[in-house]
Amino acid sequence: MRPRASAVLIVVAVLSLAVLIGCQNKGAGNTIKIGVITSLTGSQAAFGQAHKNGYAIALEEINAKGGVNGKKIELDFYDDQSKPDQAVQGVNKLVDQDHVPIIIGSYSSESTRAIVPVVTAKQVPLLIPTAVADNIMQTGSQWIFRLCAGSGDYAKSTLDFLKNNGNPKTLAIVYENTNFGQANFNSMNALATAAGMNVVDTEAYQASSPDYKSLLQRVKGKNPEAVYLASYLLDATTLMRQSETVNLNPKYYTSAGTGFAIAEFPTDKGAGKYANYTYSVSQWLPTAKWAGSKEFDDKFFQLTKTHPSFHALQAYVALIVAVEAMKKNMTSPAAIRDQIRAIDIPMTPFGPIKFDAKGQNAHPALVTQIQNQQYKVVWPPDAAEAKPIYPTPTWAERKKKGEL
């Protein structure tokens, strides 16, 4: 074969490959993929499973209505195993191999912070449903959008509640030594001090320890009126059960959501009766006033025979937002990013959705208390469904009443 003919064949082959890749990027056929990174295994698997159930409900609704521009939506899941490095690998796989035009995820603040530089470099929009650490949004990336309230909002809501309900003067902060825990510690420590509270103790811990009794004894020694905890489910469960063991009796057990706000926490899978009287900042409850909340709760219960925590709804709404942004252009990451930036949805089960110039959705945080192993909204007053119970009965009083 002559050199000129060979060159022509090579050019034809390259062009054919480019066309093939282009077809993949454009979602050839009747489906188009959306990338999802969450924690389906590892220490945060309970939250990842909540995400997956929320995505499943949204996916069924979207495809039942015809998908996007006649194409069905397919979710391309990547399990980050509750590890930041695996979340980064997930971005590489979803973008470089699967050619998704948008990613939703991850679950934890640690993993989500890790993938922000990667999606920014690859210029693919990232919708963040759940991660609350404020340093995620402080990166200044133009490719990230967060639906949930952040750690600063958690501290503000908790302090507003305390100020108007007994106004305690001393506080201890206990937090997991990760991006999630550190962000919530930094926010609460700064804002509580500015509000005139005396932060008498701060305790960082390594996650998944079997024994926190020494830590809790140190907190007890400082005799705080209120304790603020930032923990995932396993540690939240252990901390509350061992608080009874060391007889730690603050007037308020408050928390930065997450492990204290997931549906399993007040059940036998979590702290059970030891969870009673704890306060948590919550992004949503089935009783929230936003239209569609009850319907989502009903569908989730039909799917799982349990009621959802806010993590599932955040995933549900994230997929709704992603699809809305893809209606004008399903394949161009830049066009989808611009459409997310322009989104203005007046009502969803998670409330209105509209992002500011930094990519943050203005979502209000609620304060809940567990009463008789049920979450009740107790703050702010216009959203409250029950009155808060304070001070928290001592462990001895609870035993005397037969509550333990």
Side-chain angles (χ1 to χ4, degrees), residues 25-200:
N25 286 343
K26 293 174 182 175
N30 294 322
T31 64
I32 188 161
K33 289 182 178 180
I34 293 177
V36 175
I37 300 174
T38 192
S39 303
L40 298 176
T41 59
S43 60
Q44 296 150 10
F47 302 99
Q49 188 58 53
H51 269 181
K52 193 170 185 179
N53 290 331
Y55 289 127
I57 293 171
L59 184 67
E60 182 179 11
E61 289 182 5
I62 292 165
N63 284 338
K65 295 177 182 176
V68 182
N69 301 333
K71 288 181 179 289
K72 298 289 187 182
I73 296 296
E74 179 183 343
L75 296 183
D76 191 353
F77 279 97
Y78 189 93
D79 175 17
D80 68 16
Q81 303 172 37
S82 307
K83 300 175 181 176
D85 62 329
Q86 289 300 312
V88 170
Q89 290 303 314
V91 174
N92 293 331
K93 191 261 186 184
L94 292 172
V95 176
D96 298 340
Q97 297 180 29
D98 300 349
H99 308 292
V100 299
I102 180 174
I103 294 175
I104 306 173
S106 178
Y107 163 68
S108 75
S109 292
E110 193 86 359
S111 292
T112 304
R113 180 63 183 83
I115 65 177
V116 168
V118 190
V119 297
T120 303
K122 294 181 182 294
Q123 300 191 342
V124 171
L126 174 69
L127 263 177
I128 302 168
T130 303
V132 301
D134 280 340
N135 62 6
I136 294 170
M137 303 308 296
Q138 290 164 358
T139 59
S141 172
Q142 294 298 301
W143 292 89
I144 63 173
F145 301 88
R146 183 164 72 176
L147 288 165
C148 63
S151 54
D153 299 311
Y154 276 26
K156 290 175 186 174
S157 296
T158 301
L159 291 169
D160 185 50
F161 164 74
L162 291 173
K163 181 181 178 181
N164 289 280
N165 291 276
N167 198 21
K169 300 298 184 184
T170 56
L171 177 72
I173 305 173
V174 178
Y175 62 100
E176 178 182 303
N177 198 16
T178 61
N179 190 31
F180 157 73
Q182 292 165 0
N184 280 285
F185 160 70
N186 289 332
S187 295
M188 178 55 86
N189 191 40
L191 292 172
T193 301
M197 293 188 80
N198 183 13
V199 180
V200 296

Side-chain angles (χ1 to χ4, degrees), residues 59 125 157 171 195 251 293 308 330-331 354 357:
L59 184 67
S157 296
L171 177 72
K251 293 179 180 177
S293 290
M330 294 183 291
T331 58
K354 185 176 183 178

Side-chain angles (χ1 to χ4, degrees), residues 130-359:
T130 303
V132 301
D134 280 340
N135 62 6
I136 294 170
M137 303 308 296
Q138 290 164 358
T139 59
S141 172
Q142 294 298 301
W143 292 89
I144 63 173
F145 301 88
R146 183 164 72 176
L147 288 165
C148 63
S151 54
D153 299 311
Y154 276 26
K156 290 175 186 174
S157 296
T158 301
L159 291 169
D160 185 50
F161 164 74
L162 291 173
K163 181 181 178 181
N164 289 280
N165 291 276
N167 198 21
K169 300 298 184 184
T170 56
L171 177 72
I173 305 173
V174 178
Y175 62 100
E176 178 182 303
N177 198 16
T178 61
N179 190 31
F180 157 73
Q182 292 165 0
N184 280 285
F185 160 70
N186 289 332
S187 295
M188 178 55 86
N189 191 40
L191 292 172
T193 301
M197 293 188 80
N198 183 13
V199 180
V200 296
D201 190 24
T202 61
E203 299 282 352
Y205 67 83
Q206 296 301 315
S208 304
S209 169
D211 193 339
Y212 294 108
K213 290 193 287 293
S214 295
L215 180 156
L216 293 168
Q217 287 283 12
R218 291 196 296 274
V219 175
K220 181 181 177 181
K222 300 297 178 63
N223 193 30
E225 291 183 85
V227 176
Y228 186 67
L229 302 109
S231 307
Y232 289 103
L233 177 61
L234 178 62
D235 297 320
T237 297
T238 305
L239 284 162
M240 289 312 301
R241 291 181 180 274
Q242 294 185 353
S243 289
E244 186 274 333
T245 303
V246 305
N247 199 30
L248 174 61
N249 289 299
K251 293 179 180 177
Y252 306 83
Y253 277 104
T254 66
S255 67
T258 313
F260 287 83
I262 193 168
E264 287 85 352
F265 179 60
T267 72
D268 291 340
K269 295 180 180 178
K273 294 179 179 178
Y274 297 85
N276 279 330
Y277 305 106
T278 57
Y279 295 95
S280 178
V281 178
S282 179
Q283 307 262 358
W284 174 86
L285 280 180
T287 53
K289 59 185 178 183
W290 299 306
S293 290
K294 182 180 184 307
E295 288 79 3
F296 178 78
D297 179 42
D298 291 343
K299 288 184 178 179
F300 191 92
F301 190 84
Q302 186 176 11
L303 177 66
T304 68
K305 306 306 177 189
T306 62
H307 294 283
S309 64
F310 60 79
H311 311 88
L313 182 71
Q314 289 169 332
Y316 170 90
V317 173
L319 186 52
I320 297 292
V321 170
V323 167
E324 183 67 25
M326 297 172 74
K327 286 183 176 178
K328 289 189 176 179
N329 189 316
M330 294 183 291
T331 58
S332 166
I336 293 170
R337 177 200 61 182
D338 293 343
Q339 286 303 309
I340 297 174
R341 191 174 288 154
I343 268 179
D344 185 358
I345 304 177
M347 185 54 63
T348 74
F350 198 56
I353 305 294
K354 185 176 183 178
F355 299 97
D356 65 17
K358 296 181 179 178

